[in-house]
């Protein structure tokens, strides 16, 4: 990899089996892990404390119970905080800028219109799952979220659909690819560590991924719609709109009411939808000007093709990098070029620069308007960035305390099926650290010594079993949990009932299909 690509790589270097900073016994470490998680859940759910502060205090509780020296705990937390902020922060910022100009220019409206026109009614969730699966193939999960979530919310608003019905299929599409299909970094890492066959893993991964996505995406979304009945938030950082509130205000609008008691978030959302309709007709909407957006008085919108190329560009560049990793020699000039332009931060940066021409100029924006639009996307992500980074600090403290070592020691001595062992180890480390990457690399390292006893096909299935386990029950120590919570405007409880359950369904259903394949190959 080139120097630029190495510096801007978005995968922090974290060793899950480093020498622990705690001298506590195994039981005490498990208790410390549970105590830290419990403090976070209680502070956020019961005391309504800001998640950023709750994560810091939960980390302090973990350190106290595990007898970690304050200076060592602080160093570990800040290392995790910094590495996560560096890895995810640039992506969140660039993704927010790209999403903002996509919306302000009217490009998002064009994409939403095309999707809702071609895939309406019951087909819409299936279309979102397919789109997410295609776009998510070469992406880190966090990158896929920041690219797709604005589109998901716009589709949900335009179709007047509940958030879970549209959002769960899209998140499932990203997550299934994250754990099961190479050349995604997760399964690709396990392939390298276990020396599994790339082609067989890809074929088996697709066989497992398709039915898993169907079950955990569009079908599960129907059930989630009953558990978490909410509509898309009015804007980033605002809470999702409760279905009863939405229906009540909709009845007021239909009846010609909607006085001063109307829900503010719903009215803001309706205002933006009307503003989009005005722009579509080439008419100025005075409410758009009052909101101070960069898209005021625009008389045209970028074409569907220009908007699609801009949002898909990062995906194409990262896919080219993945192909280059497989097809070009290490150290070659072509490899260095693709490693650089295919790094997620560089790919998103190039998309933002392209948006100046395809979206800004394409919508007739002046340069000042384009700059204003891009810059206005940043203030709303400050809280998200701090919460995600604090989650990374908590995760790193768990890793450095030796919790992953406890899980590894237990698993090594277990006399069970290699496929089940790989899945269970990945599940345990995923629950303890919140990192799918740490779970994948650690589990592959533990069961690697047993890989020589497996056939080529079963070795490929072991990669998939580990990938399934690495997705199990994402909760408060996972940065992805906080990304989904904040972007969708959910409470912690709603995020657990939707996102966490969806991840668990993917893990369990995917593993069942892996076991089923092992019986016939």
């Amino acid at each position: 990899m080139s120097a630029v690509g190495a510096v801007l790589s978005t995968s922090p270097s974290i060793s899950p089996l480093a020498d622990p900073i705690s001298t506590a016994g195994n039981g005490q470490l498990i208790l410390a892990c549970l105590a830290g998680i419990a403090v976070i859940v209680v502070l956020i759910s019961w005391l309504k404390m800001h998640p950023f502060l709750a994560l810091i205090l939960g980390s302090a509780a973990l350190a106290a119970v595990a007898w970690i020296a304050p200076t060592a705990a602080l160093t570990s937390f800040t290392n995790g905080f910094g590495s996560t902020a560096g890895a995810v922060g640039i992506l969140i910022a660039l993704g927010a800028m790209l999403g903002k100009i996509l919306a302000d220019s009217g490009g998002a409206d064009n994409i939403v219109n095309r999707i809702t026109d071609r895939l309406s009614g019951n087909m819409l969730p299936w279309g979102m799952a397919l789109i997410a699966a295609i776009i998510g193939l070469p992406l880190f999960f966090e990158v896929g979220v920041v690219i797709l979530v604005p589109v998901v919310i716009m589709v949900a608003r335009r179709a007047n659909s509940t958030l879970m019905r549209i959002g769960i299929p899209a998140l499932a599409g990203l997550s299934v690819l994250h754990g099961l299909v190479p050349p995604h970094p997760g399964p690709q890492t396990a392939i390298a560590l276990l020396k599994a066959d790339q082609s067989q893993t890809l074929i088996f991964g697709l066989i497992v991924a398709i039915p898993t996505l169907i079950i955990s995406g569009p079908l599960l979304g129907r059930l989630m719609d009953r558990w978490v009945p909410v509509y898309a938030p009015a804007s980033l950082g605002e809470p999702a709109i409760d279905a009863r509130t939405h229906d009540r205000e909709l009845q007021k609008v239909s009846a010609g009411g909607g006085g001063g008691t109307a829900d503010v978030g719903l009215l803001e959302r309706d205002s933006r939808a009307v503003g989009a309709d005005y722009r579509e007709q080439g008419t100025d909407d005075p409410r758009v000007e009052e909101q101070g957006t960069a898209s005021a008085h625009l008389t045209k919108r970028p074409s569907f093709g220009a908007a699609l190329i801009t949002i898909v560009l990062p995906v194409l560049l990262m896919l080219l990098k993945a192909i280059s990793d497989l097809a070009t020699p290490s150290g070659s000039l072509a490899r260095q070029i693709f490693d650089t332009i295919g790094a997620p931060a560089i790919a998103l940066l190039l998309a933002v620069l392209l948006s100046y021409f395809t979206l800004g100029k394409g919508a007739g924006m002046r340069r000042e308007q384009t700059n204003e639009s891009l810059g206005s996307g940043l203030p709303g992500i400050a809280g998200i960035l701090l919460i995600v980074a604090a989650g990374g600090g908590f995760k790193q403290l768990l890793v450095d305390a030796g919790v992953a070592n406890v899980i590894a020691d237990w698993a090594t001595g277990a006399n069970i099926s290699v496929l089940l062992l790989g899945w269970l180890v990945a599940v345990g480390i995923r629950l303890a650290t919140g990192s799918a990457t740490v779970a994948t690399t650690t589990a592959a390292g533990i069961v690697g010594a047993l890989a020589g006893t497996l056939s080529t096909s079963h070795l490929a299935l072991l990669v998939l079993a580990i990938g399934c386990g690495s997705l199990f029950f994402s909760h408060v120590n996972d940065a992805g949990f906080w990304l989904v919570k904040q972007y969708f405007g959910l409470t912690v409880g709603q995020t657990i009932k939707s996102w966490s359950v969806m991840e668990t369904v993917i893990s369990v259903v995917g593993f069942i299909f892996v076991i089923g394949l092992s019986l016939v190959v």
Side-chain angles (χ1 to χ4, degrees):
M1 179 182 290
S2 68
V4 175
V7 170
L8 293 175
S9 171
T10 62
S11 181
S13 178
I14 297 176
S15 175
L17 294 177
D19 293 336
I21 58 177
S22 172
T23 58
N26 292 352
Q28 187 175 347
L29 286 175
I30 296 297
L31 180 62
C33 175
L34 296 176
I37 294 172
V39 166
I40 293 171
V41 173
V42 168
L43 290 178
I44 294 174
S45 300
W46 291 1
L47 300 182
K48 307 302 180 185
M49 182 177 288
H50 193 279
F52 175 62
L53 293 176
L55 284 162
I56 294 175
L57 294 178
S59 300
L62 165 66
V65 176
W67 295 348
I68 301 175
T71 53
L74 182 61
T75 299
S76 176
F77 182 86
T78 53
N79 285 342
F81 186 98
S83 63
T84 303
V88 183
I90 296 176
L91 305 181
I92 293 177
L94 291 173
M97 296 175 78
L98 185 60
K100 191 65 169 66
I101 194 171
L102 188 68
D104 284 352
S105 66
D109 288 336
N110 270 354
I111 295 176
V112 171
N113 286 337
R114 185 65 62 92
I115 295 175
T116 54
D117 289 345
R118 301 291 178 87
L119 298 171
S120 59
N122 292 331
M123 291 303 298
L124 196 54
W126 297 87
M128 293 305 300
L130 178 61
I131 291 169
I134 294 173
I135 291 179
L137 181 60
L139 298 179
F140 289 98
F141 178 81
E142 291 82 0
V143 185
V145 168
V146 299
I147 289 177
L148 278 179
V149 162
V151 176
V152 168
I153 291 178
M154 289 290 290
V155 169
R157 290 175 184 165
R158 184 60 54 85
N160 195 30
S161 175
T162 52
L163 188 55
M164 293 298 108
R165 183 170 173 266
I166 303 298
I168 287 297
L171 292 175
L174 289 175
S175 190
V176 167
L177 272 292
H178 177 75
L180 293 177
V181 181
H184 197 281
Q188 195 65 44
T189 299
I191 288 173
L193 291 174
L194 296 174
K195 296 180 174 57
D197 182 80
Q198 177 87 26
S199 299
Q200 283 199 6
T201 306
L202 176 59
I203 293 171
F204 291 158
L206 291 172
I207 292 173
V208 173
I210 292 173
T212 301
L213 176 56
I214 291 173
I215 294 172
S216 62
L219 298 183
L220 183 64
R222 298 178 184 177
L223 180 61
M224 293 298 179
D225 198 19
R226 302 175 185 174
W227 288 0
V228 188
V230 296
Y231 284 78
S235 63
L236 182 63
E238 296 185 16
I241 300 173
D242 181 76
R244 288 174 294 184
T245 301
H246 174 274
D247 294 341
R248 184 167 58 248
E249 298 302 331
L250 196 61
Q251 290 174 1
K252 289 182 180 180
V253 172
S254 300
T261 60
D263 179 79
V264 175
L266 181 63
L267 291 181
E268 287 180 353
R269 184 181 67 174
D270 290 341
S271 175
R272 290 169 189 170
V274 172
D277 291 337
Y278 270 81
R279 290 194 302 272
E280 184 175 358
Q281 299 167 10
T283 308
D284 293 337
D285 176 21
R287 285 169 292 186
V288 176
E289 184 176 4
E290 290 173 2
Q291 293 171 11
T293 63
S295 58
H297 302 296
L298 297 181
T299 58
K300 63 177 181 177
R301 297 192 305 181
S303 67
F304 171 77
L308 186 63
I309 289 173
T310 304
I311 197 173
V312 171
L313 179 63
V315 180
L316 296 178
L317 292 178
M318 284 180 264
L319 183 58
L320 287 174
K321 177 188 179 302
I323 296 173
S324 172
D325 290 343
L326 300 175
T328 59
S330 178
S332 65
L333 178 60
R335 181 74 166 267
Q336 293 183 46
I337 292 174
F338 285 120
D339 280 347
T340 300
I341 65 174
I346 293 292
L348 274 169
L349 176 61
L350 292 175
V352 170
L353 296 177
L354 178 64
S355 72
Y356 269 95
F357 305 97
T358 57
L359 301 180
K361 189 174 181 180
M365 287 182 174
R366 299 189 305 273
R367 184 176 59 186
E368 295 79 6
Q369 287 179 302
T370 303
N371 288 330
E372 178 188 349
S373 175
L374 290 169
S376 64
L378 294 176
I381 65 165
I384 294 176
L385 177 57
L386 289 173
I387 291 169
V388 170
F394 181 63
K395 177 193 72 177
Q396 186 60 39
L397 188 59
L398 284 168
V399 172
D400 291 342
V403 176
N405 290 5
V406 174
I407 304 291
D409 291 341
W410 166 82
T412 302
N415 185 21
I416 55 178
S417 162
V418 178
L419 294 180
L420 180 59
L421 176 62
W423 185 77
L424 287 175
V425 172
V427 165
I429 297 175
R430 162 71 158 178
L431 289 173
T433 67
S435 171
T437 302
V438 171
T440 298
T441 56
T442 304
I446 290 171
V447 301
L450 304 174
T453 64
L454 300 177
S455 64
T456 303
S457 58
H458 279 70
L459 188 57
L461 292 175
L462 178 58
V463 170
L464 303 181
I466 292 173
C468 289
S470 71
L471 301 177
F472 191 89
F473 196 75
S474 164
H475 60 98
V476 296
N477 63 351
D478 178 18
F481 178 94
W482 298 106
L483 275 175
V484 172
K485 175 192 176 299
Q486 294 301 114
Y487 272 117
F488 279 2
L490 304 175
T491 65
V492 169
Q494 289 172 333
T495 310
I496 290 175
K497 287 193 292 184
S498 55
W499 161 254
S500 300
V501 171
M502 183 206 75
E503 287 284 86
T504 304
V505 170
I506 292 174
S507 178
V508 174
V509 171
F511 182 65
I512 290 174
F513 282 115
V514 168
I515 293 297
L517 268 179
S518 72
L519 300 177
V520 297
V521 297

